[in-house]
């Protein structure tokens, strides 16, 4: 039987550590396979970080484990 991958919104205070650890496990240090985990942490600590729209970020999970995530460091409502 195949497991099901589900998508859900990112929860800023709940998901930060799990997403950070996922990025450490899966992305290369040189950024060749995606953004580096330290940038994810840095972006969310900036004074102008748009916490109001983090619900627009998404996490995909399989059996409770993160298998993908998407986020932006810029304000998603800006042009």
């Amino acid at each position: 039987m195949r497991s099901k991958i589900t998508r859900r919104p990112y929860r800023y205070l709940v998901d930060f550590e799990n997403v950070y650890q996922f990025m450490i496990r899966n992305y290369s240090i040189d950024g060749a396979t995606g953004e580096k985990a330290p940038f994810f942490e840095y972006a969310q600590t900036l004074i102008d970080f748009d916490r109001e729209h983090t619900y627009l970020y998404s996490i995909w999970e399989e059996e409770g484990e993160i298998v993908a995530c998407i986020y932006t460091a810029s304000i998603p409502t800006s042009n």
Side-chain angles (χ1 to χ4, degrees):
M1 182 168 142
R2 289 186 189 180
S3 58
K4 183 178 179 182
I5 295 176
T6 57
R7 187 193 70 77
R8 65 172 177 79
Y10 173 77
R11 299 167 296 180
Y12 177 67
L13 295 175
V14 176
D15 293 322
F16 173 80
E17 182 64 27
N18 290 335
V19 170
Y20 184 74
Q21 292 302 321
F22 166 77
M23 293 180 79
I24 287 172
R25 285 191 310 272
N26 292 285
Y27 294 103
S28 63
I29 194 68
D30 63 2
T33 58
E35 197 57 69
K36 296 172 241 162
F39 179 79
F40 178 73
E41 179 181 25
Y42 167 75
Q44 295 198 32
T45 61
L46 293 174
I47 190 94
D48 59 347
F49 178 69
D50 184 17
R51 288 168 184 82
E52 182 181 342
H53 291 96
T54 57
Y55 71 92
L56 296 172
Y57 304 175
S58 291
I59 292 177
W60 285 263
E61 294 176 317
E62 182 177 36
E63 297 180 6
E65 294 293 320
I66 296 174
V67 295
C69 63
I70 188 168
Y71 74 96
T72 181
S74 60
I75 299 171
T77 56
S78 65
N79 292 328

